[in-house]
Amino acid sequence: MDTLPHRLLLLALVSACAGQEVPLDTELAVTIEISFLPSDKIIEGDSLEVHCRVRRPLPPGLKVLVMKGPTILKSGSKKAFWNTSLARAADGGNYTCKAEANGIQKSVSRSVHVAELTITPEISFLPSDKIIEGDSLEVHCRVRRPLPPGLKVLVMRGPTILNSGSQEAFWNTSLAQAADAGTYMCKAEANDIQKSVSRSVHVAELFSKPVLSMPPPDVFEGQMLTFSCKSAHIDSQRINANDVKYHLYKDNVKVADLPSGEYRITADVHHDGNYSCQAEAKSVQKQSLAFVLKTKELTITPEISFLPSDKIIEGDSLEVHCRVRRPPPPGLKVLVMRGPTILNSGSQEAFWNTNLAQAADAGTYMCKAEANDIQKSVSRSVHVAELFSMPVLTVQPADVFEGQMLTFSCKSAHIDSQRINANDVKYHLYKDNMKVADLPSGEYRVTADVHHDGNYSCQAEAKSVQKRSSAFVLKIKVFTINKVTLTILPATEVQRDTDVELKCDCAANVSKMATLTYQYSFYKYEQLIHAENHSFSHLSHRLHAVRVPTSGLYSCEVKILTASKRSEAEFLRVTGVETPSLKVSSGEIFEGEELSVECRAPKEEGPFSFSFYYNATLFHTNSSKENFLSTKLKFEQAGKYEVHCNYKLMLFQATSEKSNREAVTVRELFSKPVLSMPPPDVFEGQMLTFSCKSAHIDSQRINANDVKYHLYKDNVKVEDLPSGEYRITADVHHDGNYSCQAEAKSVRKQSLAFVLKTKVLVSEPLIEAWGNVILGRPFSIVCQSVRGSLPITYTLLFKGNAVSSFIVHSPQDRAIFNITSMTINSREEIRDFKCFAQNFGDKSKRPSLALNTTVTEPVSDPQLTAMTSTGNVVEGKELILFCTVKDGSPPFTFEWYHNGEIINSSTTDERKHSYTLSKIEHKQGGRYYCQVQNNETESRRSEEITVTVKNAPWKTAVTGSTIVLLLSIITFSLIYCIDKKGKRKEKETELYLKASKFKSDVSVAVTPAHTGYNKASHSVVSDNEERSTCPSSGTSAFYAPRGTESSDDALLKDQKSSQEDDRNPNNCTEKSALVCCTGTPTVPANRSEGAVDTGSVLYAQLNHDRENPKQIPSPP
């Protein structure tokens, strides 16, 4: 018995015999570890590994077990592993790691949690789960978020996978069939875990599958076969029976359309095959079951013939003869047939004839032979030429009302003119098969009345041939339309996806005898959207799942025959638009690559304007008539972008919400190039190097040589840069904005621009005077260079020393130096002015030449002198005035003034100028002065001189004699008066006698005007006039005669007296006839001849008043 106690006892006995002590342990002295990978908390579908190991030292005979409950999953000698690549929820729980050695065990346990994978698939149907054949159907399968990795979504119908996708799946058909009804399943798979949901959709049948009626089982050659195709059930609320069109197919190839639903052929082996029919309405097509037609061949040969021939004329006789070639089989039956109608029959042959053939007798006749259930036939046609065609009865108007004029017209369109004339054809009108009237002209008119209702036809007749037209039913209609009303249900304002009903009601007064067809027309604005004929007074038109574009003004119109009426318009407003969905082709692209994007609004109707955005920036806009827009976007710059879209319904200006956002990363192909700049200051002639490079190039996508560089100036390409560099010699023509462009794989990047401005060294400046330069006065100097980059500094030098500086910053500025603090005293000093210009330090300094300009010297005070031809200013003689200047720069402008008014002006380079008074008159006496100026300098004025003009000598002699005579008379008169008046007048008489001695000559004096100084003053006086000076300023003066000296003696005495006066100018001598004077005696130039200024000299005018020569001045 090998148990643990026995083993321990045996070990103890052996140890005791050996003299050793053995410990009795019941537990292994080892450390056991259990771990889970990837962790102890995972999700269904993850991998799971349970790792069990024992730390060293390891006892001999060690065995390690991985267990779950009592089940051993894995074992090993030192360690044990158990794993699964697809964890399930059942794999969660408690795991045990057990170690065994020498019959001793030790274990440790630990739990792992496997979370259940929550996948919730959803299935939906668009437009709904209840549709009608012909509608579109979309099955949408999606899984709610969060989405597990490796998700696969399937749309299934039974075991068939219709479509699949990574996050959602769609299956759709634009034309739903009844067969599309049923249960659809949405299955989601992730990590071998599957979950599904099912839902059913109902497709209402528009019409049932058609049934093709089959011929009898045994079909023989020549037998007439009828194919009939019909649908047993038609949804009359949606379509009419006439809306269903039928087609016959043989071996899947369409043979014929079946307007009436039937098709007839004569059996023949060539017609053998698989037959089926198709029904079609509103794009819905349904195929019937097929059947096989196999025609049996007869062994008999029937023949058919026509007498007189197979081509006859109406009115001729016609016989159809049918027989079978001998030997005839037993039980033979021969039939003459036309279509399905048996005209005659016989045992071996058969006949059919008519004595009056009609056009209707033309056509195909068949001879059928039957024997022992075997049939064989042969067909042949006969042509009956028309004598005249079947007449056509027309009634105008088509819709007839009471009281309206009704016209019946009967005509044969074709008449064989070779056999009969048109007048040979007679026409008759019939009502209810009774002749109403003959129609000689082919027409019949009558006023419409309800009594005229009935079946009308007409008959044409010629040469015993009669032809009846088709019948026409005449119904006189009586009705009125009172009102047409349109109702929008459920309301005039609805949300999108609502089914809207447009109900049109017509109120009309209709005759009980009339059966009306209501022609309904539904309009949106003025555009017809639906039209339908109906026999009821109301009709509804449905708008399914309306959208915003459905909004508008709706009305309906009802027409009954010729009468019509339209309802009042009602406005339908639909609110709410669908949020679009955005799909992108990839989440990561490179610069220059195009990103395919699609924005879709599947439930809306256009036209649309789709807009794409990245990072809230409008990127692309385009219009589309479809409810989606696919386009390609190209990103020029690297970075991370969020792309979304929205749309606008262009006709309604309704804008959708933003779509889902898709993250797109654009990786850089190469970095923006950098254009190296020349030094800041560039001068003409300097060598410049432009270098353009991209610092980063994605070497996995392109090579460095793939990047091409181009140099641009003012946005115009200057040069390609194969090596990335470009050299030029600096010149002002190269100035501009420079940038460079790097290009690779249609990606272009532009560097930052910099401005190149080539500086021009300043040229030699030009120096010139600004205006006139006048000695001793301020003036201005301009210094200017023709070329040179601004700013330019100009410095003015005088005798080598800097006087002033001026900086020119603008082309409109000029360096003008105002010389105000210093003046030049000689003309030669003007050349001591120079200037220099500089715009780039001392190395650019350029001096000018010396200033060379005209210097104007101001004119000095002029001196005025007078010269006469005789020494006296005598009337009729010549007087010359001279004006002289000492200093000044020519030319000089001399101006002459007489009594303050200019009388002459002249310009000359001479310093002396004269003015001549030829044959001077008394009125030319007065004050004269001259004024001189040169070149805009101030004018200088001379002192005034006064010119007094003497009478001519003969006038003086006459005047003197007259005065002596007058004085004598006066003297005797005075003596007489004195004697009478006594002594009292003695003194006055004596004084008067002294006055009688006053010289009779008229004195003429030329005296200078007061100018403030007497240096140039002088006088020209007559020979009888002496200068005197009076000490008193308040007394008066007058001249007394000196005797009767001659003019020459008087002139000599006056010259002596003048010399004495020069030596003693301030005394009044005894020689002077002046009794009392004040100042120097003068005669103003502006007075009349002989007048004396009362403020200076008072004298007696004795010889100057010719009008009153006897006038004697009163004594003072």
Side-chain angles (χ1 to χ4, degrees), residues 310-322:
D310 58 357
K311 293 182 179 179
I312 60 173
I313 303 171
E314 281 186 320
D316 292 349
S317 62
L318 173 63
E319 181 175 314
V320 182
H321 189 195
C322 182

Side-chain angles (χ1 to χ4, degrees), residues 584 586-587 589 591 595 613-617 619 633-644 661-667:
V584 299
S586 175
I589 60 174
E591 286 180 322
L595 177 70
Y613 300 81
Y614 70 91
N615 297 344
T617 301
F619 192 73
L633 305 181
K634 192 172 183 180
F635 295 85
E636 298 296 339
Q637 294 183 354
K640 293 186 177 180
Y641 300 88
E642 277 195 351
V643 182
H644 68 273
R661 295 177 180 270
E662 296 291 338
V664 177
T665 301
V666 181
R667 293 181 57 187

Side-chain angles (χ1 to χ4, degrees), residues 116 143 155 291 555 737 771 819 900 913 921 929 939 986:
E116 187 176 7
V143 175
V155 178
F291 76 87
S555 62
N737 292 330
I819 312 302
H913 188 261
E921 299 176 0
Y929 67 89
S939 61
E986 185 176 357

Side-chain angles (χ1 to χ4, degrees), residues 168 263 310 351 353 512 824 901 1034:
E168 56 185 355
Y263 181 65
D310 58 357
F351 301 89
N353 60 61
K512 295 181 179 179
I824 59 173
E901 295 181 0

Side-chain angles (χ1 to χ4, degrees), residues 100-114:
E100 297 179 352
N102 299 322
I104 303 173
Q105 298 178 348
K106 190 175 184 179
S107 64
V108 63
S109 296
R110 190 180 171 193
S111 295
V112 66
H113 176 68
V114 180

Side-chain angles (χ1 to χ4, degrees), residues 864 879 881 895-904 915 917 920-931 941-949 1005-1009 1082-1089:
L864 179 62
L879 174 64
L881 302 177
E895 294 178 345
W896 296 92
Y897 290 84
H898 175 223
N899 293 335
E901 295 181 0
I902 188 169
I903 57 175
N904 183 263
Y915 177 69
L917 297 170
I920 192 168
E921 299 176 0
H922 285 285
K923 65 180 179 180
Q924 290 177 317
R927 292 176 291 110
Y928 286 86
Y929 67 89
C930 68
Q931 189 168 285
R941 173 177 168 178
S942 71
E943 292 183 357
E944 287 184 352
I945 63 172
T946 301
V947 176
T948 303
V949 181
V1006 179
T1007 61
T1082 60
V1083 178
N1086 58 352
R1087 292 206 175 255
S1088 61
E1089 203 174 312

